[in-house]
Amino acid sequence: MFVLITYDVATSSEGGVKRLRKVAKKCLDHGQRVQNSVFECVCDATTLAQLKIDLREIIDEEHDSLRFYILGKNYRNKIEHYGIKDSYNVEGTLMF
Amino acid sequence: MFVLITYDVATSSEGGVKRLRKVAKKCLDHGQRVQNSVFECVCDATTLAQLKIDLREIIDEEHDSLRFYILGKNYRNKIEHYGIKDSYNVEGTLMF
């Protein structure tokens, strides 16, 4: 299942910069960054449930905002990109 | 149909700050801001097509990134939010 994760972390609040880094790192464990605070993940329901728990533990719900958008399995024709960093196959093999 | 619009505008590039402001303003004409560069819109296909044209004319495709995610009609159970600025009914009546 394809999930889009977007977040705003209040870097001006105490510990905000550290939270921002940790949120990005946790999202990178499961997906690919497509914009500064926008990540695309393909994962199963169990992994997503755990990722939500992990991310909620990192953010400060008084200051930060975290959103999940579930696009499901047939997501490829639901996404359009214009500009730099063209889209890529989030399920494609990563070449290192 | 529900559409999520996310963007990264290179404010460090020439005219970037102005582009950022114009992109946000154009998105506000059609939807609601849920995070700094994340907007939720409910619109028909014709309006979306025009919005894409308008936004592509604003951004600099050499420096900026603009993404559209189509969640369709049954979107309410596909969105989860944690933290500040709780979600709202994007089709709800706006109270001024």
Side-chain angles (χ1 to χ4, degrees):
Chain A
M1 138 177 69
F2 180 102
V3 181
L4 187 76
I5 302 173
T6 72
Y7 56 82
D8 267 357
V9 172
T11 49
S12 54
S13 70
E14 196 187 332
V17 172
K18 194 174 169 191
R19 291 197 307 274
L20 182 65
R21 218 178 298 133
K22 285 175 82 175
V23 166
K25 190 175 175 308
K26 179 57 67 178
C27 288
L28 274 174
D29 290 347
H30 296 278
Q32 308 237 17
R33 173 178 252 159
V34 290
Q35 288 174 349
N36 278 336
S37 50
V38 177
F39 282 76
E40 295 182 356
C41 307
V42 174
C43 57
D44 57 41
T46 311
T47 305
L48 177 57
Q50 187 56 53
L51 181 54
K52 283 180 196 170
I53 293 167
D54 295 345
L55 288 174
R56 288 191 68 185
E57 279 171 7
I58 295 171
I59 67 165
D60 170 354
E61 297 202 12
E62 298 294 315
H63 294 97
D64 306 333
S65 168
L66 175 66
R67 301 182 78 84
F68 296 86
Y69 297 88
I70 317 289
L71 271 75
K73 292 197 180 75
N74 307 315
Y75 58 90
R76 285 193 178 78
N77 58 354
K78 295 177 183 172
I79 303 170
E80 283 182 43
H81 171 267
Y82 302 96
I84 52 162
K85 279 187 261 164
D86 199 353
S87 56
Y88 56 91
N89 177 353
V90 70
E91 292 185 274
T93 44
L94 295 177
M95 312 294 279
F96 290 105
Chain B
M1 127 184 76
F2 179 103
V3 182
L4 187 75
I5 302 173
T6 72
Y7 55 82
D8 267 356
V9 172
T11 48
S12 55
S13 70
E14 196 189 330
V17 172
K18 194 175 170 190
R19 291 197 308 274
L20 181 65
R21 217 180 297 134
K22 286 176 82 175
V23 166
K25 191 176 174 308
K26 179 57 66 178
C27 287
L28 274 173
D29 290 345
H30 297 278
Q32 310 237 13
R33 172 178 252 160
V34 290
Q35 287 174 349
N36 277 338
S37 49
V38 177
F39 281 76
E40 294 181 356
C41 307
V42 173
C43 57
D44 58 39
T46 311
T47 305
L48 176 58
Q50 186 57 53
L51 182 53
K52 282 180 197 169
I53 292 167
D54 295 344
L55 289 173
R56 288 190 69 183
E57 278 172 8
I58 295 170
I59 68 167
D60 171 353
E61 298 203 12
E62 296 295 314
H63 293 97
D64 307 333
S65 168
L66 175 66
R67 301 181 78 85
F68 297 87
Y69 296 89
I70 317 290
L71 271 73
K73 294 197 178 76
N74 307 315
Y75 59 90
R76 287 191 177 78
N77 57 355
K78 295 178 183 172
I79 304 171
E80 283 182 43
H81 170 268
Y82 302 97
I84 54 160
K85 279 187 265 167
D86 199 355
S87 54
Y88 57 89
N89 176 353
V90 70
E91 292 185 275
T93 43
L94 295 177
M95 312 294 279
F96 289 105

